[in-house]
Amino acid sequence: MKRGRVQKNTNMCSSLTPCLVLLLSFIILPLCESFNYGQALSQSLLYFESQRSGRLPHNQRVTWRHHSALTDGLEQGVDLVGGYYDAGDNVKFGLPMAFTVTLLSWAAIEYGEQIAGAGEYAHALEAIKWGTDYFIKAHSQPNVLWVQVGDGDTDHYCWQRPEDMTTSRRAYKVDADNPGSEVAGETAAALAAASILFKRTNPHYSQLLLHHAQQLFEFGNKFKGKYDESVGVARGYYASVSGYMDELLWAAIWLYKATEKEEYLKYLLENAYGFGGTTWAMIEFSWDNKYAGVQAIASMLLMEEQHKKHEAILKQYRSKAEHYLCACLNLNNNLTNVERTPGGLLYTRKWNNMQYVATSAFLLTIYSDHLQSNGQNLHCHKAQVGPHDLIALAKSQVDYILGSNPMNMSYLVGYGPSFPKRVHHRSASIESFRGNMGFIGCTQGYDNWYGRPGPNPNTLIGALVGGPDDKDQFQDERRNYIQTEACTYNTAALVGVFARLHASEGESETPLIASSK
Ligand SMILES: *[C@@H]1O[C@H](CO)[C@@H](O)[C@H](O)[C@H]1NC(C)=O
Ligand SMILES: *[C@@H]1O[C@H](CO)[C@@H](O)[C@H](O)[C@H]1NC(C)=O
């Protein structure tokens, strides 16, 4: 059922216009809440430490976690120790893990200075490297990529800390006979993006990442196939609905950014139409669907002199990027906008809606800065808007997440006075390994911990949960995984936005007024 398109903001600060009024009347100004984005940034990076699999380092800050899954891959004769647990369970899913690392790397590329300014750059690189170290191991031969360890069905049968796991840790791969272009493409994108970051501080590692990225892209491109047809156990959890063409374009554009080699640009241009890059108009950006990301980056290339000769195709990419951004801004012709809750939250779908909110906040922020530095506006069907309108929307979404919402609750765990206390997360909901090293069995976890009405014993700081429904309502219950589970790619999309908003804190608010609506 489609909800009405009228945007009703019950929240004073999440809408631009009431804020303008408040800004102009100084007496009421303090009513406009201000959030501590620096703290949110620190917390968001901490979250990745709670999701770590493998042998934890001495500087591990999340101390309720311990070493786990130290024999991953052993059955298949490959070392797959490390990487990230995906969400509230203990499976390592390659596709969303790679998307998480691509998002984190993009954030650190775009907002490295701002992240460093908040004292968090080392943590950001650690979060990225925890993923890329794993991808290097998982890419054990040029045409072999291990894309999953464990499986959702046996994992979900138990409620266990990763430290105690007794569930299957079977590993699954894609190869020339069983291809998986989505996961090869996304992993290539992640490694290429990360290689940009390590170029200066660790050139050898950067080269290694790039080498793997190039091979993985070749593999995914040469042996085309849907990964969830090769790896059936992924289908019930991370089925690729959008297919693999978006990931191949995505990998190509990140490889182009990392190498500046013409062959990757050529790939992006020659496959623009055939792969849907210039034909699909999107209203979401997610672990499955990368088109909006490809389109946004392609459209930013347009501003660079050396790309002028490719203007025709890049402009087609730009028009699709604009479609996405205008849909978020509610400025497309009425049927192709992103819905909003009465409280002003972008609303895509019921299950883990926050992932889409976070990715749109990220793309809006990046594109806003792009427009700003090129002195440009965004042309939507209903209006032409300036960079400040884009960042204002991103900020309103982040402020909603941090507590400016009808539930008066922060959906970033650990932030502010009120946040979800019963996150659907195995290790957070069971007493910590440090406190009790005794084995907690498969069903014992369900019996003794899952069903408890009380709060989780461990706080999953920095996790962005699935969030409220289309009426801004949220039930903080462990079994309500649609709303209370968090995923690594939710938080990953917010890192850059927090850093950007933190850096601009204290700057004059007047640009908001000077919007060109
Ligand atoms: C879309 O806009 C048209 C004209 O602006 C209007 O008549 C129509 O009712 C709108 N449809 C929806 C679903 O809002
Ligand atoms: C949220 O806070 C506002 C203002 O303090 C209050 O009016 C409202 O009842 C609160 N809502 C909930 C769900 O607690």
Side-chain angles (χ1 to χ4, degrees), residues 101-179:
V101 172
T102 312
L103 289 175
L104 284 173
S105 302
W106 194 3
I109 292 168
E110 243 18 89
Y111 299 112
E113 218 171 280
Q114 289 86 342
I115 295 172
E120 290 292 338
Y121 196 68
H123 292 140
L125 284 195
E126 275 172 34
I128 291 162
K129 193 161 182 291
W130 195 266
T132 52
D133 283 350
Y134 176 76
F135 297 140
I136 290 171
K137 292 180 177 185
H139 184 215
S140 54
Q141 291 171 46
N143 293 344
V144 174
L145 179 66
W146 295 87
V147 299
Q148 187 169 326
V149 182
D151 68 273
D153 291 353
T154 58
D155 189 279
H156 290 193
Y157 178 72
C158 297
W159 190 263
Q160 261 178 315
R161 305 179 296 196
E163 292 81 359
D164 294 326
M165 268 189 295
T166 52
T167 48
S168 162
R169 296 305 289 172
R170 188 174 156 193
Y172 302 84
K173 66 175 175 181
V174 293
D175 57 25
D177 298 326
N178 306 283

Side-chain angles (χ1 to χ4, degrees), residues 352-375:
N352 190 12
N353 181 61
M354 279 305 189
Q355 66 178 310
Y356 310 105
V357 178
T359 52
S360 53
F362 189 37
L363 287 189
L364 284 161
T365 301
I366 287 177
Y367 214 84
S368 165
D369 285 338
H370 163 72
L371 292 175
Q372 178 75 43
S373 55
N374 291 289

